[in-house]
Amino acid sequence: MSQAGRALAYAFESGALEQKRAFFLRAEELPLTGLDAEQSFRPDYLRLKQRGWSVVPRLEGGAYEQGLVLLTKHKEESFANIARGWALLAPGGRLVCTGANDDGAASLEKHVDKAFGLADKISKFHCRVFWFDKGTRVPPDYWRGLAGLQPVGAGPWLNQPGLFSWDRVDDGSALLAKYLPGDIAGTVADFGCGWGYLSRHLLDHCPGITRLDMIDAEHRAVEAARANVSDPRATAHWLDLIAEPAPATYDAIVCNPPFHAGRAAQPALGQGFIEAAARALTPDGRFYLVANRGLPYEPLLKEHFASFETLTDNNKFRVSRAIR
């Protein structure tokens, strides 16, 4: 349980809040019952499912008496979830928000107070819990607009707040795209596809591809990838590649793996993607990887692949090609 989750639980345990039928956006496990949980990150979704929670990747409909929102470090995502939470409430329903001070909860509290007027608030565990009741005041148009897919810059892309590089093409993916050859063919996968930039590049430049699997553990990224990649050869999959098997065996895999969990760097995430790629490639299959150059991936490439080489290194990112 996060510190923000602990603060939320304390608000109920102390009697500051009374539990009612409720939903929980960006849900995590709490000592509360009867919650309809929304969790779009596959590992957390599976964990809640295994614990017997009622959980879906996206809640629709509602008229709840109470809603809970776990705020994130992404301000725009939190604005969007507060607006969505408001829409899921019945008139007079109460929306409870919790977040860490280090993630900007104090600033969000001020925005929410200005937009709706707070009913009350508490501070605990370096976090804030604050709430308001649904009346006649509606969320700002900007907040409501953030709840759906958004244009990425001036290009033909759509994305959602809170996803990696949600408002631009990230430099690592752009660099990898430059070094992907046009002869990639057969059954191909984009591991950690995000909103689909590399997948669409492959389909536009590699006519020999017969099937492309776009795979991501974040359901909102999968939604964006489906919107951005309409080629009939492409299929999007919501999977945790660290814990779940890939849908097929591949002639080539491209990957710009995640290496952060929250604010903390976790190279083990990228290492898990390398191991998953090694398991999913055909003999002589090719693996194209871009990563921050300081990450400890070379020993694992040596261990799991017959050979690998550096295609480019610009002192920030390194692009590698490995052969199974």
Side-chain angles (χ1 to χ4, degrees), residues 305-321:
F305 292 86
S307 64
F308 78 94
E309 62 179 320
T310 297
L311 300 181
T312 189
D313 185 333
N314 66 2
N315 291 320
K316 183 177 182 181
F317 297 104
R318 178 178 292 141
V319 175
S320 303
R321 177 180 61 195

Side-chain angles (χ1 to χ4, degrees), residues 29-308:
E29 191 170 6
L30 294 179
L32 302 175
T33 59
L35 296 177
D36 291 340
E38 176 184 287
Q39 180 51 257
S40 57
F41 185 53
R42 183 85 174 169
D44 293 343
Y45 166 90
L46 292 174
R47 192 174 299 114
L48 290 171
K49 199 83 170 173
Q50 290 165 0
R51 295 285 190 172
W53 279 51
S54 171
V55 57
V56 294
R58 185 175 181 88
L59 279 169
E60 303 288 353
Y64 288 85
E65 295 178 86
Q66 189 176 77
L68 314 177
V69 178
L70 184 65
L71 305 171
T72 75
K73 66 179 180 179
H74 302 284
K75 181 175 68 175
E76 291 85 0
E77 180 187 5
S78 292
F79 283 157
N81 284 337
I82 292 167
R84 288 187 57 232
W86 180 92
L88 289 166
L89 287 173
R94 174 163 287 180
L95 193 68
V96 184
C97 305
T98 183
N101 292 335
D102 287 348
D103 289 339
S107 174
L108 287 165
E109 180 186 298
K110 292 177 183 177
H111 283 290
V112 170
D113 191 17
K114 181 178 179 181
F116 302 103
L118 293 181
D120 210 344
K121 60 184 178 180
I122 63 171
S123 296
K124 194 73 174 176
F125 306 126
H126 305 289
C127 298
R128 293 173 185 265
V129 183
F130 52 91
W131 54 93
F132 66 90
D133 297 328
K134 183 175 181 177
T136 58
R137 299 167 72 175
V138 301
D141 290 342
Y142 176 64
W143 298 16
R144 287 187 285 176
L146 290 169
L149 292 168
Q150 304 292 306
V152 178
W157 305 97
L158 296 170
N159 203 357
Q160 297 193 48
L163 299 178
F164 171 66
S165 191
W166 81 272
D167 57 353
R168 68 192 188 283
V169 178
D170 71 282
D171 294 339
S173 291
L175 183 65
L176 176 56
K178 291 180 181 180
Y179 286 86
L180 293 175
D183 66 349
I184 292 176
T187 300
V188 179
D190 182 354
F191 277 15
C193 66
W195 45 273
Y197 172 78
L198 287 170
S199 293
R200 194 155 124 185
H201 175 89
L202 283 167
L203 292 165
D204 288 346
H205 294 85
C206 303
I209 292 175
T210 56
R211 167 179 170 171
L212 177 66
D213 286 345
M214 305 182 293
I215 307 169
D216 205 283
E218 175 53 62
H219 193 271
R220 296 182 309 124
V222 170
E223 291 174 339
R226 286 176 177 147
N228 287 320
V229 184
S230 59
D231 192 299
R233 293 173 291 172
T235 304
H237 303 269
W238 184 43
L239 290 171
D240 174 13
L241 285 164
I242 307 300
E244 298 178 287
T249 302
Y250 301 104
D251 300 299
I253 295 171
V254 302
C255 185
N256 181 1
F259 66 95
H260 279 92
R263 294 185 179 276
Q266 290 196 4
L269 288 172
Q271 292 168 335
F273 271 72
I274 292 171
E275 292 173 338
R279 292 192 298 268
L281 279 170
T282 61
D284 298 324
R286 291 180 282 176
F287 178 48
Y288 293 89
L289 172 75
V290 64
N292 288 53
R293 67 189 311 270
L295 292 170
Y297 293 160
E298 281 198 13
L300 213 57
L301 290 171
K302 290 179 180 178
E303 179 182 348
H304 289 284
F305 292 86
S307 64
F308 78 94

